[in-house]
Amino acid sequence: MNRTASIKDVATHASVAVGTVSNVLNYPDRVSQRTKERVLKAIDELGFVRNDAARQLRAGHSRTVGLIVLDVGNPFFTSVVRAAEDAAALQGSAVLLGDSGHDAGREANYIDLFQEQRVQGLLISPVGDVTERLDLLRERGVPTVLVDRLADESKFSSVAVDDDAGGYLAARHLLDTGRRRLAFVGGPTDIRQVADRLQGAQRAVQEEPGATLEVLTSEGMTVLAGRSVGNMLVQRGRDELPDGIFCANDLLALGVMQSLTMTHTFRIPEDVALIGYDDIDFAVSAVVPLSSIRQPTEALGRTAIELLSEEVESQNPTHRAVVFTPELVVRQSTGKA
């Protein structure tokens, strides 16, 4: 079996020092064009492949960034990841993706794995309070930026959307269309984003005399979870159905819509107005185009990488909390009552 060519083999083949080959690979501006061409020719002829693992051990970190999201199956997070990957690529880095699936244990395993991989830094949309683990990570030289979660600026940099404002926008829009018996459909309220969106909706309802808000929890934040809540509402009958429903994300809203429309008993928006959150691509192509609260996913992913770069490049970084404002997108699912 042929032995893999080493950096020493390249140096011998090109009649240069090992340090010269290293400079060509890592600091090409330090080497003359003629010498550089000779070394690159030797690399090509020998089929040399640089050992990035060894280089990472010497440097203490790699050219990779760890990114942990709550649910990669949610198009919202898919868009954030894509934007982060594009921004990282422009800086010569790559993104390693982990999907916690809303599981704290799985999240912890990814944090440990990325540390072992000597990532430059970590981007994370945390399941719960992971401050202690992230403090330890930072002490070991791995800076962290929270994504889709506002952080204490004395601890970490973060990029998020004002979910309280988004929840207020959604409920206010339903109220403005004449709805008064509202329902909020959300996953576990220990998910900070869900809790904030509910809080914003409650604030809007409290401003409207006679309006009510029923809270309906779901087992998850998926289409199937939404269908389960929708099926329960269908069984109640028309008289007990809320006239406006705000779902904590678009996947839940699409599931609720499926349940209500499949029976051909309830009409959207004539009988019940429906609004989601995230404004994923599927929202506009739903059976009844779905009103939603739009989050700037590209800006979230891009800004997360920018904040992490600041943390990596500075010995004493100033932590920043960047907060974006969500936007109401009105479609047919919330037409006038």
Side-chain angles (χ1 to χ4, degrees), residues 7-80:
I7 192 170
K8 185 176 181 181
D9 295 329
V10 173
T12 300
H13 195 74
S15 300
V16 298
V18 170
T20 301
V21 178
S22 179
N23 281 338
V24 171
L25 295 172
N26 300 295
Y27 310 102
D29 56 318
R30 298 181 181 178
V31 185
S32 69
Q33 185 62 31
R34 184 176 179 182
T35 301
K36 188 190 307 181
E37 289 174 357
R38 189 160 74 246
V39 170
L40 292 175
K41 182 180 179 183
I43 288 174
D44 185 56
E45 290 176 350
L46 295 177
F48 169 77
V49 178
R50 68 185 294 167
N51 187 344
D52 254 12
R55 184 183 64 81
Q56 290 168 201
L57 287 172
R58 291 193 296 272
H61 59 78
S62 70
R63 292 180 296 171
T64 56
V65 171
L67 172 55
I68 304 175
V69 298
L70 291 172
D71 179 12
V72 76
N74 185 332
F76 163 75
F77 284 112
T78 305
S79 297
V80 172

Side-chain angles (χ1 to χ4, degrees), residues 94-167:
V95 173
L96 300 179
L97 178 62
D99 178 7
S100 70
H102 297 277
D103 186 301
R106 187 168 171 177
E107 177 184 75
N109 289 337
Y110 272 119
I111 292 174
D112 292 340
L113 175 63
F114 289 154
Q115 182 182 343
E116 292 170 6
Q117 294 296 316
R118 288 179 165 80
V119 293
Q120 287 179 329
L122 176 68
L123 306 177
I124 181 171
S125 182
V127 174
D129 184 4
V130 291
T131 302
E132 186 175 338
R133 290 189 64 88
L134 299 185
D135 278 338
L136 182 59
L137 204 63
R138 184 172 53 190
E139 290 174 6
R140 294 173 178 173
V142 183
T144 302
V145 172
L146 271 59
V147 181
D148 197 33
R149 174 78 64 84
L150 194 61
D152 181 347
E153 291 180 55
S154 66
K155 288 283 189 179
F156 308 102
S157 286
S158 62
V159 56
V161 174
D162 188 340
D163 283 314
D164 179 278

Side-chain angles (χ1 to χ4, degrees), residues 175-287:
L175 294 167
D176 288 344
T177 64
R179 317 292 167 160
R180 290 295 178 270
R181 301 186 315 280
L182 306 190
F184 174 83
V185 179
T189 53
D190 58 352
I191 298 175
R192 181 61 179 273
Q193 294 89 329
V194 173
D196 286 350
R197 292 166 196 179
L198 171 58
Q199 179 177 284
Q202 290 171 329
R203 186 159 53 88
V205 170
Q206 288 168 2
E207 294 177 352
E208 195 68 38
T212 59
L213 180 67
E214 179 184 8
V215 179
L216 304 172
T217 58
S218 61
E219 294 182 357
M221 303 281 285
T222 65
V223 173
L224 288 179
R227 287 184 65 172
S228 178
V229 173
N231 289 338
M232 179 271 293
L233 289 172
V234 168
Q235 292 173 5
R236 287 185 179 183
R238 183 180 300 275
D239 293 339
E240 297 184 25
L241 192 72
D243 59 9
I245 300 175
F246 167 35
C247 294
N249 74 2
D250 286 343
L251 297 180
L252 284 169
L254 293 173
V256 170
M257 181 183 292
Q258 288 178 7
S259 293
L260 294 181
T261 57
M262 284 173 62
T263 62
H264 302 290
T265 303
F266 303 103
R267 300 167 301 166
I268 298 174
E270 290 83 359
D271 298 318
V272 56
L274 180 64
I275 187 170
Y277 204 105
D278 292 338
D279 194 33
I280 63 176
D281 290 342
F282 297 123
V284 71
S285 58
V287 174

Side-chain angles (χ1 to χ4, degrees), residues 272-335:
V272 56
L274 180 64
I275 187 170
Y277 204 105
D278 292 338
D279 194 33
I280 63 176
D281 290 342
F282 297 123
V284 71
S285 58
V287 174
V288 181
L290 179 67
S291 293
S292 187
I293 302 300
R294 177 177 294 164
Q295 300 201 75
T297 53
E298 291 186 8
L300 283 169
R302 182 177 64 253
T303 304
I305 292 293
E306 292 172 358
L307 291 174
L308 188 61
S309 295
E310 293 175 7
E311 299 271 340
V312 170
E313 294 170 3
S314 175
Q315 294 295 325
N316 296 295
T318 299
H319 303 309
R320 293 199 293 136
V322 179
V323 182
F324 291 101
T325 302
E327 175 188 355
L328 172 65
V329 179
V330 178
R331 299 191 180 96
Q332 286 91 321
S333 69
T334 55

